Amino acid sequence: MDAAPAPLTRRAALRTAFTAAVLAGTAAALGPVLRARRPRQTLTPAPLAEETYRGRHITVDLAAAAVHIDGRPLHVMRRADGSYLSGINHFQSYDTPLELARAAVDELGTNQLALTAPHHG
């Protein structure tokens, strides 16, 4: 004779629900940890941008925010909002270092950048 399965008791139902809740909570807690261990694929900017603008050679290292005009360094500062400014025109900020370099060339005209930064003391 086949025995009928025992009816699900309240205790068994609560135990099953508790086990499911513990497993769900553990999965929710471990999810961010496991995701953080995966290597992230991020898009990095091109390391170097070069162009000739109004007869001047501009080189921009996007990773380091270093700007050179005709081989001479232009002091670049990054603002808290992500924009850039320089000592050539420190009253206006620009979205990218390349835009900043072009504006510096416009401001410099035929003048050259100094080879060294001025001493502020």
Side-chain angles (χ1 to χ4, degrees), residues 51-102:
E51 75 172 35
T52 301
Y53 177 75
R54 294 191 173 193
R56 309 293 283 274
H57 182 74
I58 297 173
T59 305
V60 178
D61 182 347
L62 298 174
V67 176
H68 289 81
I69 298 173
D70 294 333
R72 296 173 182 232
L74 173 65
H75 182 66
V76 176
M77 295 164 277
R78 183 102 190 240
R79 295 173 38 114
D81 65 359
S83 62
Y84 299 87
L85 58 92
S86 74
I88 299 295
N89 188 351
H90 57 271
F91 295 110
Q92 185 170 354
S93 58
Y94 299 89
D95 292 332
T96 67
L98 187 57
E99 289 176 15
L100 174 82
R102 290 175 186 148

Coordinates of all heavy atoms in Angstrom, one line a residue, residues 51-102:
E51 N 47.1 68.4 -32.6 CA 46.6 69.1 -33.8 C 47.3 70.4 -34.0 O 48.1 70.9 -33.1 CB 45.1 69.4 -33.6 CG 44.7 70.6 -32.6 CD 43.3 70.9 -32.7 OE1 42.4 70.0 -32.8 OE2 43.0 72.1 -32.5
T52 N 47.2 70.9 -35.2 CA 47.8 72.2 -35.5 C 46.6 73.2 -35.5 O 45.6 73.0 -36.3 CB 48.5 72.2 -36.8 OG1 49.6 71.3 -36.7 CG2 49.1 73.6 -37.1
Y53 N 46.7 74.2 -34.7 CA 45.6 75.2 -34.7 C 46.2 76.6 -34.8 O 47.1 77.0 -34.1 CB 44.9 75.1 -33.3 CG 43.8 76.1 -33.1 CD1 42.6 76.0 -33.7 CD2 44.0 77.2 -32.2 CE1 41.6 77.0 -33.5 CE2 43.0 78.2 -32.0 CZ 41.8 78.0 -32.7 OH 40.8 79.0 -32.5
R54 N 45.8 77.3 -35.9 CA 46.3 78.6 -36.2 C 47.8 78.6 -36.3 O 48.5 79.5 -35.8 CB 45.8 79.7 -35.2 CG 44.3 79.8 -35.3 CD 43.9 81.0 -34.5 NE 42.5 81.2 -34.8 CZ 41.8 82.3 -34.5 NH1 42.4 83.3 -33.9 NH2 40.5 82.4 -34.8
G55 N 48.4 77.6 -36.9 CA 49.8 77.5 -37.1 C 50.6 77.0 -35.8 O 51.8 77.0 -35.9
R56 N 49.9 76.7 -34.7 CA 50.6 76.3 -33.5 C 50.3 74.8 -33.3 O 49.2 74.3 -33.5 CB 50.1 77.1 -32.3 CG 50.1 78.6 -32.5 CD 51.4 79.2 -32.6 NE 52.1 79.4 -31.3 CZ 52.0 80.4 -30.5 NH1 51.2 81.4 -30.8 NH2 52.7 80.4 -29.4
H57 N 51.4 74.1 -32.8 CA 51.2 72.7 -32.6 C 50.8 72.5 -31.1 O 51.4 72.9 -30.2 CB 52.6 72.0 -32.8 CG 52.5 70.5 -32.6 ND1 51.9 69.7 -33.5 CD2 52.9 69.8 -31.5 CE1 52.0 68.5 -33.0 NE2 52.6 68.5 -31.8
I58 N 49.6 71.9 -31.0 CA 49.0 71.6 -29.7 C 49.1 70.1 -29.4 O 48.7 69.3 -30.2 CB 47.5 72.1 -29.6 CG1 47.4 73.6 -29.8 CG2 46.9 71.6 -28.3 CD1 46.0 74.0 -30.0
T59 N 49.5 69.8 -28.2 CA 49.6 68.4 -27.8 C 48.9 68.3 -26.4 O 49.2 69.1 -25.5 CB 51.0 67.9 -27.6 OG1 51.7 68.1 -28.8 CG2 51.0 66.4 -27.2
V60 N 47.9 67.4 -26.3 CA 47.1 67.3 -25.1 C 47.2 65.8 -24.7 O 46.8 64.9 -25.4 CB 45.7 67.7 -25.3 CG1 44.9 67.5 -24.0 CG2 45.6 69.1 -25.7
D61 N 47.7 65.6 -23.4 CA 47.7 64.2 -22.8 C 46.4 64.2 -22.0 O 46.4 64.8 -20.9 CB 48.9 64.0 -22.0 CG 49.0 62.6 -21.4 OD1 48.0 61.9 -21.4 OD2 50.1 62.3 -20.9
L62 N 45.4 63.6 -22.5 CA 44.1 63.6 -21.8 C 44.1 62.8 -20.5 O 43.4 63.2 -19.6 CB 43.0 62.9 -22.7 CG 42.8 63.7 -24.1 CD1 41.9 62.9 -24.9 CD2 42.3 65.1 -23.8
A63 N 45.0 61.8 -20.4 CA 45.0 61.1 -19.1 C 45.6 61.9 -18.0 O 45.2 61.9 -16.9 CB 45.8 59.8 -19.3
A64 N 46.6 62.8 -18.3 CA 47.2 63.6 -17.3 C 46.8 65.0 -17.3 O 47.2 65.8 -16.5 CB 48.7 63.5 -17.5
A65 N 45.9 65.4 -18.3 CA 45.5 66.8 -18.5 C 46.7 67.7 -18.6 O 46.8 68.8 -18.1 CB 44.6 67.2 -17.3
A66 N 47.7 67.2 -19.4 CA 48.9 68.0 -19.7 C 48.8 68.6 -21.1 O 48.4 67.9 -22.0 CB 50.1 67.2 -19.6
V67 N 49.0 69.9 -21.2 CA 48.8 70.6 -22.5 C 50.2 71.2 -22.8 O 50.8 71.9 -22.0 CB 47.7 71.6 -22.4 CG1 47.6 72.4 -23.7 CG2 46.4 71.0 -22.0
H68 N 50.6 71.1 -24.1 CA 51.8 71.8 -24.6 C 51.4 72.5 -25.9 O 50.7 72.0 -26.7 CB 52.9 70.8 -24.9 CG 53.5 70.2 -23.7 ND1 52.9 69.1 -23.0 CD2 54.6 70.5 -23.0 CE1 53.6 68.8 -22.0 NE2 54.7 69.6 -22.0
I69 N 51.9 73.7 -26.0 CA 51.7 74.5 -27.2 C 53.1 74.8 -27.7 O 54.0 75.4 -27.1 CB 51.0 75.8 -26.9 CG1 49.6 75.5 -26.4 CG2 50.9 76.7 -28.1 CD1 48.8 76.7 -25.9
D70 N 53.4 74.3 -28.9 CA 54.7 74.4 -29.6 C 55.8 73.8 -28.7 O 56.9 74.3 -28.5 CB 55.1 75.8 -30.0 CG 54.1 76.3 -31.0 OD1 53.6 75.5 -31.8 OD2 53.9 77.6 -31.1
G71 N 55.4 72.7 -28.0 CA 56.4 72.0 -27.1 C 56.6 72.6 -25.7 O 57.3 72.1 -24.9
R72 N 55.9 73.7 -25.5 CA 56.0 74.4 -24.2 C 54.8 74.1 -23.3 O 53.7 74.2 -23.8 CB 56.2 75.9 -24.4 CG 57.5 76.3 -25.1 CD 57.5 77.7 -25.4 NE 58.7 78.0 -26.2 CZ 59.6 79.0 -25.8 NH1 59.3 79.7 -24.8 NH2 60.7 79.2 -26.6
P73 N 55.0 73.8 -22.0 CA 53.9 73.4 -21.2 C 52.9 74.6 -20.8 O 53.4 75.7 -20.6 CB 54.5 72.9 -19.9 CG 55.9 73.6 -19.9 CD 56.3 73.8 -21.3
L74 N 51.7 74.3 -20.9 CA 50.6 75.3 -20.5 C 50.1 74.8 -19.1 O 49.7 73.6 -19.0 CB 49.5 75.4 -21.5 CG 48.3 76.2 -21.1 CD1 48.7 77.7 -21.0 CD2 47.2 76.0 -22.1
H75 N 50.2 75.6 -18.1 CA 49.7 75.2 -16.8 C 48.2 75.1 -16.9 O 47.5 76.0 -17.2 CB 50.1 76.2 -15.7 CG 49.7 75.8 -14.4 ND1 50.2 74.7 -13.7 CD2 48.8 76.4 -13.5 CE1 49.6 74.6 -12.5 NE2 48.7 75.6 -12.4
V76 N 47.7 73.9 -16.6 CA 46.2 73.5 -16.6 C 45.7 73.2 -15.2 O 46.4 72.4 -14.5 CB 46.0 72.4 -17.6 CG1 44.5 72.0 -17.6 CG2 46.4 72.8 -19.0
M77 N 44.6 73.7 -14.9 CA 44.0 73.4 -13.6 C 42.6 72.8 -13.8 O 41.9 73.3 -14.7 CB 43.9 74.6 -12.7 CG 45.2 75.2 -12.3 SD 45.1 76.9 -11.7 CE 45.1 77.8 -13.3
R78 N 42.3 71.7 -13.1 CA 41.0 71.1 -13.2 C 40.1 71.7 -12.1 O 40.5 71.7 -10.9 CB 41.1 69.6 -13.1 CG 39.8 68.8 -13.2 CD 39.7 68.2 -14.6 NE 38.4 67.7 -14.9 CZ 38.2 66.4 -15.2 NH1 39.1 65.6 -15.2 NH2 37.0 66.1 -15.5
R79 N 38.9 72.1 -12.5 CA 38.0 72.7 -11.5 C 37.1 71.6 -10.9 O 37.0 70.5 -11.4 CB 37.1 73.7 -12.2 CG 37.9 74.9 -12.6 CD 37.0 75.9 -13.4 NE 35.7 76.0 -12.9 CZ 35.1 77.1 -12.4 NH1 35.8 78.2 -12.3 NH2 33.9 77.1 -11.9
A80 N 36.5 71.8 -9.8 CA 35.6 70.9 -9.1 C 34.5 70.4 -10.0 O 34.0 69.2 -9.9 CB 35.1 71.4 -7.8
D81 N 34.0 71.2 -10.9 CA 32.9 70.8 -11.8 C 33.3 70.0 -13.0 O 32.5 69.7 -13.8 CB 32.1 72.1 -12.2 CG 32.9 73.0 -13.1 OD1 34.0 72.8 -13.4 OD2 32.3 74.0 -13.5
G82 N 34.6 69.8 -13.1 CA 35.2 69.0 -14.2 C 35.7 69.8 -15.4 O 36.2 69.2 -16.3
S83 N 35.5 71.1 -15.3 CA 36.0 71.9 -16.4 C 37.5 72.3 -16.2 O 38.0 71.9 -15.1 CB 35.1 73.2 -16.6 OG 35.2 74.0 -15.4
Y84 N 38.1 72.9 -17.1 CA 39.5 73.3 -17.1 C 39.7 74.8 -17.2 O 39.0 75.4 -17.9 CB 40.3 72.6 -18.2 CG 40.2 71.1 -18.1 CD1 39.1 70.4 -18.7 CD2 41.1 70.3 -17.4 CE1 39.0 69.0 -18.6 CE2 41.1 68.9 -17.4 CZ 40.0 68.3 -18.0 OH 39.9 66.9 -17.9
L85 N 40.8 75.3 -16.6 CA 41.2 76.6 -16.8 C 42.7 76.7 -16.7 O 43.4 75.8 -16.3 CB 40.6 77.6 -15.8 CG 40.8 77.3 -14.3 CD1 42.0 78.1 -13.8 CD2 39.6 77.8 -13.5
S86 N 43.3 77.8 -17.2 CA 44.7 78.0 -17.3 C 45.1 79.4 -16.8 O 44.2 80.2 -16.7 CB 45.3 77.7 -18.7 OG 44.9 78.8 -19.5
G87 N 46.4 79.6 -16.7 CA 46.8 80.9 -16.3 C 46.7 81.9 -17.4 O 46.8 83.1 -17.1
I88 N 46.6 81.5 -18.6 CA 46.5 82.4 -19.7 C 45.2 83.1 -19.7 O 45.1 84.3 -19.9 CB 46.6 81.6 -21.1 CG1 48.0 81.0 -21.2 CG2 46.4 82.6 -22.3 CD1 49.1 81.9 -21.3
N89 N 44.1 82.4 -19.4 CA 42.8 83.0 -19.3 C 42.1 82.3 -18.1 O 41.3 81.4 -18.3 CB 42.0 82.8 -20.6 CG 40.7 83.5 -20.6 OD1 40.3 84.1 -19.6 ND2 40.0 83.6 -21.8
H90 N 42.4 82.8 -16.9 CA 41.9 82.1 -15.7 C 40.5 82.6 -15.3 O 40.0 82.2 -14.3 CB 42.9 82.3 -14.6 CG 43.2 83.7 -14.2 ND1 44.3 84.3 -14.8 CD2 42.7 84.5 -13.4 CE1 44.4 85.5 -14.3 NE2 43.4 85.7 -13.5
F91 N 39.9 83.4 -16.1 CA 38.5 83.9 -15.8 C 37.4 83.1 -16.5 O 36.3 83.3 -16.3 CB 38.3 85.4 -16.1 CG 39.2 86.2 -15.2 CD1 40.3 86.9 -15.8 CD2 38.9 86.3 -13.9 CE1 41.1 87.7 -15.0 CE2 39.7 87.1 -13.1 CZ 40.8 87.8 -13.6
Q92 N 37.9 82.2 -17.4 CA 36.9 81.4 -18.2 C 37.3 79.9 -18.1 O 38.5 79.6 -18.3 CB 36.9 81.9 -19.6 CG 35.8 81.1 -20.4 CD 35.6 81.8 -21.8 OE1 36.2 82.8 -22.1 NE2 34.8 81.1 -22.6
S93 N 36.4 79.0 -17.9 CA 36.7 77.6 -17.9 C 36.2 77.0 -19.2 O 35.3 77.5 -19.9 CB 36.0 76.9 -16.7 OG 34.6 77.1 -16.7
Y94 N 36.8 75.8 -19.5 CA 36.5 75.1 -20.8 C 36.2 73.6 -20.5 O 36.7 73.1 -19.5 CB 37.7 75.2 -21.7 CG 38.0 76.6 -22.1 CD1 38.8 77.4 -21.3 CD2 37.3 77.3 -23.2 CE1 39.1 78.7 -21.6 CE2 37.6 78.6 -23.5 CZ 38.4 79.3 -22.7 OH 38.7 80.6 -23.0
D95 N 35.4 73.0 -21.3 CA 34.9 71.6 -21.1 C 36.1 70.6 -21.2 O 36.1 69.6 -20.6 CB 33.8 71.3 -22.0 CG 32.5 72.0 -21.6 OD1 32.3 72.4 -20.4 OD2 31.7 72.2 -22.5
T96 N 37.0 70.9 -22.2 CA 38.1 69.9 -22.4 C 39.4 70.6 -22.4 O 39.5 71.9 -22.7 CB 37.9 69.2 -23.8 OG1 38.0 70.2 -24.8 CG2 36.5 68.5 -23.9
P97 N 40.5 69.9 -22.2 CA 41.8 70.5 -22.3 C 42.1 71.0 -23.7 O 42.8 72.0 -23.9 CB 42.8 69.4 -21.9 CG 42.0 68.4 -21.1 CD 40.6 68.6 -21.7
L98 N 41.6 70.4 -24.7 CA 41.8 70.8 -26.1 C 41.1 72.2 -26.4 O 41.7 73.0 -27.0 CB 41.3 69.8 -27.1 CG 41.7 70.0 -28.6 CD1 43.2 70.2 -28.8 CD2 41.1 68.9 -29.4
E99 N 39.9 72.3 -25.9 CA 39.3 73.7 -26.0 C 40.1 74.7 -25.3 O 40.2 75.9 -25.8 CB 37.8 73.6 -25.5 CG 36.9 72.8 -26.3 CD 35.5 72.7 -25.6 OE1 35.2 73.5 -24.7 OE2 34.7 71.8 -26.0
L100 N 40.6 74.4 -24.1 CA 41.4 75.3 -23.4 C 42.7 75.7 -24.1 O 43.0 76.9 -24.2 CB 41.8 74.6 -22.0 CG 42.8 75.4 -21.2 CD1 42.0 76.5 -20.4 CD2 43.5 74.5 -20.2
A101 N 43.3 74.7 -24.8 CA 44.5 75.0 -25.5 C 44.2 75.9 -26.7 O 45.0 76.8 -27.0 CB 45.1 73.7 -26.0
R102 N 43.1 75.7 -27.4 CA 42.8 76.5 -28.5 C 42.5 78.0 -28.1 O 43.0 78.9 -28.7 CB 41.5 76.0 -29.2 CG 41.8 74.7 -30.0 CD 40.5 74.2 -30.5 NE 40.6 72.9 -31.2 CZ 39.7 72.0 -31.2 NH1 38.5 72.2 -30.6 NH2 39.9 70.8 -31.7

